[in-house]
Amino acid sequence: MKRKIVDYHQDEHGDWVADLECGHGQHVRHRPPFINRPWVVTVEGRQSMVGQVLNCVKCQRPFPDGRGL
C-alpha cells in the first residue's frame, strides 16, 4: 500500500529508515548500482522526499504478524 514519508531515523547500523504515515518503517539505502537513492545521503535530500510515497510491504501483509495465507 502506498504510504507517505513523514520523517526518518537511523537504525543500529547507521542505515536510514523512512518513517511512514502508517507507523511502519522502511529502509531507504543508497547502494549503487543496485539501489540508487542519492537523496538519502544528505539532510536536504531526505527532507525533499518527505511527503512522497513508498510502498509499505507491512501494510500489504494479510496478517499483522507477517504470516502468509
Side-chain angles (χ1 to χ4, degrees):
M1 300 187 96
K2 301 290 184 184
R3 303 290 190 208
K4 289 182 183 178
I5 298 172
V6 295
D7 204 359
Y8 301 90
H9 69 274
Q10 286 183 291
D11 69 8
E12 65 275 4
H13 304 290
D15 290 327
W16 287 101
V17 178
D19 299 323
L20 305 178
E21 64 183 330
C22 58
H24 294 128
Q26 181 172 321
H27 279 94
V28 285
R29 297 181 177 103
H30 178 57
R31 297 213 175 125
F34 301 108
I35 303 172
N36 194 19
R37 292 183 179 134
W39 54 267
V40 171
V41 297
T42 65
V43 172
E44 296 83 8
R46 289 187 300 277
Q47 288 303 315
S48 74
M49 296 299 285
V50 170
Q52 298 297 312
V53 296
L54 292 176
N55 189 41
C56 182
V57 179
K58 291 181 181 178
C59 282
Q60 287 183 220
R61 290 184 179 157
F63 299 99
D65 66 1
R67 292 179 292 135
L69 295 175

